[in-house]
Amino acid sequence: MTAQDPPPPSSPSSPSSPSSSHRRLRALLPDLTPWHSSRDFRRMWIAGLVTVFGTFLTFIAVPLQLKELTGSALAVGAVGVVELVPLVVFGLYGGALADALDRRKLILWTEAGLGVLSALLLLNTLLPHPMVWPLYVVAALVSALSGLQRPALQAIVPRVVAHEQLPAAIALNSMRWQIGAIAGPSLAGVLIAFAGLQWAYALDVVSYAVSALLLFGLAPSPASHEADKPSLRGILEGAQYAWSRKELLGTYVIDMAAMLFAFPTAIFPFLADDLHAPWALGLMYAAGAVGSLVVSLTSGWASRVHRHGRMVVYAALGWGAAMAVAGWLGNVWLVLLFLAVAGGCDMVSGLFRSAIWDQTIPDELRGRLAGIEMLSYSIGPQLGQVRAGGMASLTNVRASVWAGGLACVASVGLLAVSLPKLMSYDQRTDEHAVRMRSLKAAEAVAEAA
């Protein structure tokens, strides 16, 4: 992080002057340049906000419905098991597709498919006796379609946003997710309690319809002329590139370890009961997003940080520590506070992981690497649900939370010691970041000519 000497007291931009205060405030506020400069980014942002809002309604409804139908923490955690294999297979293949096909079409068709699956959840809920197995089947299919879609969603951003605006775009996209993650669970808790599960699923269906209409207006994003057809060889080439970049590899394993040990959302319905606060379930799901939103709204500082790898590690340590404290506490309001702290740490980690990815990976590999990245931040939570549910069934709910947090701190600390490339990464001097900046500058000059 760089710092400048303060101006002398007589300077008109003195720290005590209004103009200096305004500049400091603007430096903290999120950078809206991508929103103003890119029509496609605006469309994607709004469509993503609508989808995230609806998705979080279902995210709350499915574990709650499983809890009502089975009464088993293990059955709720098993959702992570059925989602895992489709996520791995289709995430890797989706990355290859994102490099070989028009990314706009891939995003649009998968969005429509996800809407159909949400409609199936609604139909099952409307049955006189809803069945358990459709919840698992739909969860697996949603995981497969998400695996196909997410690499294209991530890979298209560097095409619609200028290179120097990528950190700002990452922060804005994170803020979009956080708004939906706060509003969705908060509404879901009230909506399900007073109107029933079917309304949560119905609103999710509507959200996908609105999002698809917005995404339909995106400009085409075809594959490059040199792009190969999706193949196992192409996927392996992407994996070999990721393996050769130890700082990239570090971002993957740090996040996977943090989520594996300290992602207890599957057992939140049981934690709410243990704290004698079932009314707080929606707030538990939303608390992490509140912390993330606070970080996003003050994310202007991130542009002045250059040692991105260290920030990823420090934030993962903070995530685990906050989860451990939340598991120890018996007061629901303090639990919510530390869940929010954990969410803020997760946002910091995600911001700098994405900055490393987007500012150093070549466009021709962007889709395949986005598929690997998606696995790194998705497999951990899926396995984390299984770990949390299994440990809660063997011990108790709160022990599952605090022990997982401590295991997260220990594992991230060991990984940090083992990953000197990640800890020394500096975006000002890293050869891959410098090469990407030069390439983008040359492309801008060519377009201007």
Side-chain angles (χ1 to χ4, degrees):
M1 188 178 296
T2 60
Q4 296 179 345
D5 293 331
S10 58
S11 169
S13 60
S14 163
S16 60
S17 67
S19 59
S20 178
S21 299
H22 291 158
R23 281 197 297 272
R24 289 185 177 184
L25 179 61
R26 286 196 298 270
L28 283 175
L29 294 176
D31 183 357
L32 300 178
T33 305
W35 173 275
H36 295 304
S37 63
S38 174
R39 167 187 170 275
D40 280 353
F41 180 80
R42 287 195 300 274
R43 277 187 170 270
M44 290 178 61
W45 196 93
I46 296 171
L49 177 63
V50 173
T51 299
V52 166
F53 176 78
T55 299
F56 267 97
L57 294 176
T58 298
F59 181 71
I60 305 300
V62 168
L64 188 57
Q65 189 171 23
L66 277 170
K67 175 178 176 287
E68 291 179 352
L69 294 175
T70 68
S72 167
L74 188 59
V76 175
V79 172
V81 176
V82 301
E83 291 175 336
L84 183 58
V85 173
L87 188 65
V88 172
V89 174
F90 288 92
L92 291 173
Y93 187 61
L97 287 177
D99 284 335
L101 302 178
D102 187 307
R103 291 170 183 172
R104 168 189 172 272
K105 291 182 179 178
L106 184 56
I107 293 168
L108 184 60
W109 283 108
T110 49
E111 190 79 355
L114 289 167
V116 171
L117 292 176
S118 189
L120 293 177
L121 289 175
L122 173 60
L123 291 175
N124 179 60
T125 305
L126 293 175
L127 294 175
H129 301 287
M131 296 175 286
V132 171
W133 66 264
L135 299 177
Y136 290 110
V137 171
V138 171
L141 293 174
V142 166
S143 183
L145 281 181
S146 296
L148 292 176
Q149 184 189 68
R150 287 188 204 173
L153 277 172
Q154 186 171 334
I156 202 174
V157 173
R159 288 189 175 182
V160 301
V161 173
H163 181 74
E164 66 275 7
Q165 297 174 12
L166 283 172
I170 294 165
L172 290 174
N173 281 339
S174 297
M175 190 190 332
R176 173 195 67 194
W177 180 88
Q178 292 141 15
I179 293 171
I182 294 168
S186 300
L187 175 62
V190 176
L191 188 68
I192 293 170
F194 291 97
L197 288 160
Q198 66 271 20
W199 282 100
Y201 294 134
L203 286 177
D204 193 22
V205 173
V206 173
S207 75
Y208 278 117
V210 174
S211 176
L213 288 174
L214 288 166
L215 293 172
F216 187 78
L218 292 178
S221 183
S224 63
H225 296 298
E226 302 82 17
D228 296 326
K229 292 182 179 181
S231 66
L232 179 60
R233 177 184 175 185
I235 293 172
L236 291 176
E237 286 176 356
Q240 289 170 353
Y241 177 83
W243 182 261
S244 71
R245 296 274 311 278
K246 300 308 180 187
E247 68 278 19
L248 284 183
L249 192 64
T251 65
Y252 304 152
V253 297
I254 289 286
D255 188 54
M256 289 180 68
M259 296 298 107
L260 169 63
F261 292 113
F263 191 77
T265 58
I267 58 173
F268 277 178
F270 300 91
L271 180 61
D273 288 345
D274 188 78
L275 295 170
H276 308 291
W279 52 268
L281 177 60
L283 297 178
M284 286 182 179
Y285 283 108
V290 171
S292 297
L293 182 59
V294 171
V295 172
S296 291
L297 291 175
T298 57
S299 59
W301 60 270
S303 63
R304 300 190 296 277
V305 178
H306 306 291
R307 305 295 290 270
H308 296 168
R310 291 189 178 186
M311 291 303 296
V312 171
V313 171
Y314 297 155
L317 291 171
W319 160 270
M323 281 296 184
V325 175
W328 271 107
L329 295 170
N331 181 285
V332 66
W333 293 108
L334 290 177
V335 170
L336 291 171
L337 172 62
F338 279 93
L339 289 177
V341 172
C345 292
D346 186 47
M347 172 59 202
V348 172
S349 174
L351 177 61
F352 289 105
R353 290 197 317 270
S354 297
I356 293 173
W357 299 341
D358 288 345
Q359 290 188 327
T360 66
I361 297 174
D363 184 71
E364 64 271 16
L365 289 169
R366 178 70 271 184
R368 279 165 285 178
L369 270 292
I372 296 172
E373 292 152 16
M374 187 207 70
L375 295 183
S376 77
Y377 62 71
S378 299
I379 289 178
Q382 305 305 326
L383 294 177
Q385 293 183 70
V386 179
R387 183 214 64 83
M391 188 170 180
S393 65
L394 293 174
T395 57
N396 60 70
V397 173
R398 289 170 62 186
S400 177
V401 179
W402 68 255
L406 292 179
C408 168
V409 171
S411 61
V412 170
L414 289 173
L415 286 170
V417 173
S418 306
L419 295 166
K421 284 280 190 180
L422 178 65
M423 296 298 288
S424 64
Y425 175 87
D426 189 325
Q427 62 95 17
R428 296 168 297 184
T429 57
D430 177 78
E431 60 175 311
H432 304 284
V434 171
R435 186 183 303 118
M436 286 294 292
R437 280 198 299 272
S438 300
L439 181 60
K440 288 293 184 179
E443 291 176 352
V445 171
E447 289 178 3

